[in-house]
Amino acid sequence: MARRGFVWLLLVGCAGVAGCGVLDRQAIGQMYDDLSMTAAIKRRLATEEGLGTLRHVNVSTDEDMVTLTGAVADKATRARIDRLVRNIAGHNRVINRLRVEGSATASK
């Protein structure tokens, strides 16, 4: 609950800096949805057994489109992350740009 309040405070602050005419209520709602989706996916990846140590996987969400970038050790890990993210993302589009680079490169 405290995190939700922080996100709203952050969004209101952005709206104030950007000017009232630039960010409307719908844009702020979209920003909140995108930030919440990214946070939910990162939280799940961080707590998932065997995936919590991934440091080279980046998650971003923009207008309900989730993008995964970075490197993983093998195809199985890439597919596992893809399934988890699609399950969380629901109706959001997911673009998986994760590269398979082998355990030596991806785990650095």
Side-chain angles (χ1 to χ4, degrees):
M1 192 66 171
R3 183 175 292 214
R4 179 176 278 177
F6 173 75
V7 171
W8 273 111
L9 180 62
L10 178 67
L11 292 174
V12 169
C14 290
V17 170
C20 296
V22 176
L23 288 176
D24 60 9
R25 194 175 273 249
Q26 185 176 4
I28 292 173
Q30 183 65 56
M31 288 173 58
Y32 177 78
D33 290 346
D34 290 344
L35 287 170
S36 296
M37 178 60 62
T38 298
I41 291 169
K42 287 182 175 182
R43 189 169 39 252
R44 178 65 189 270
L45 291 176
T47 59
E48 187 71 19
E49 185 175 337
L51 297 180
T53 59
L54 295 175
R55 294 187 314 233
H56 297 285
V57 173
N58 303 304
V59 180
S60 63
T61 308
D62 186 35
E63 295 188 15
D64 295 329
M65 183 168 35
V66 179
T67 303
L68 302 171
T69 57
V72 294
D74 53 47
K75 289 181 183 180
T77 302
R78 184 181 192 274
R80 182 175 173 203
I81 292 170
D82 190 75
R83 280 191 308 273
L84 285 170
V85 170
R86 288 181 191 280
N87 187 41
I88 296 166
H91 70 279
N92 292 351
R93 183 173 175 205
V94 176
I95 298 174
N96 187 343
R97 293 188 177 143
L98 291 173
R99 296 178 317 279
V100 176
E101 294 188 351
S103 59
T105 303
S107 62
K108 285 184 183 176

